[in-house]
Amino acid sequence: MRQEEIIWGPSMINKERFEAAKPYIKGVVGGLVLAPIIAFSFGWVVTTGTMNEAVANAKVEQLAAVCANAATAHWTSENKEMAALEGWEHRDERENLAKRFAVGLPGNEAIQDDVIDECGDLLDT
C-alpha cells in the first residue's frame, strides 16, 4: 500500500481527514494573519497615503533646493554675504527672496507655500 492510501485512503472518515489536515490549515491561517503584519512592520508595504505624502515631500524638497540655489546665486551676485540672511531678524528678507525665486509645478499650486517655507529654511543655513 502506498503512503497516500494510508493517509487519505477510502477507509478514513471525514473526521480523521480533518485531523490529518489540521496542521496545514493552522499554518495557512497563521500565514495569512502574520504575513501582512510582518510586511507592514518592516516597511515592505506602504499605504497609498504614506506614499503620496512621501512623493509630495520629495517634490517640495527638490523645488526648494532649486529655489535656494537660484536665490543664493542672485544674493551673492550682488556682492552680499549669505551670513546677512541668517537669523530670526532677517526672516522677511529670506521670505521675499524665496518668494521671488520659488519654482512651482504647473497645476500644483498647493505645495507653493511649502516650497517657499523650505527655501527660506535652506537660505537660513
Side-chain angles (χ1 to χ4, degrees), residues 26-68:
K26 287 180 182 178
V28 168
V29 170
L32 289 173
V33 170
L34 290 177
I37 293 170
I38 293 170
F40 278 100
S41 297
F42 284 106
W44 298 336
V45 178
V46 294
T47 62
T48 304
T50 303
M51 180 196 59
N52 289 339
E53 183 179 338
V55 169
N57 289 339
K59 287 179 185 178
V60 168
E61 287 176 13
Q62 294 304 310
L63 293 173
V66 171
C67 168

Side-chain angles (χ1 to χ4, degrees), residues 27-113:
V28 168
V29 170
L32 289 173
V33 170
L34 290 177
I37 293 170
I38 293 170
F40 278 100
S41 297
F42 284 106
W44 298 336
V45 178
V46 294
T47 62
T48 304
T50 303
M51 180 196 59
N52 289 339
E53 183 179 338
V55 169
N57 289 339
K59 287 179 185 178
V60 168
E61 287 176 13
Q62 294 304 310
L63 293 173
V66 171
C67 168
N69 286 336
T72 300
H74 173 74
W75 189 260
T76 56
S77 72
E78 294 180 343
N79 294 324
K80 297 179 182 177
E81 296 290 324
M82 289 305 294
L85 288 176
E86 292 178 0
W88 180 256
E89 62 276 359
H90 301 290
R91 67 187 179 282
D92 291 333
E93 283 181 271
R94 283 193 310 272
E95 186 174 338
N96 290 335
L97 203 56
K99 283 181 182 177
R100 183 172 172 192
F101 291 98
V103 181
L105 292 175
N108 199 357
E109 289 79 23
I111 65 171
Q112 191 69 18
D113 290 337

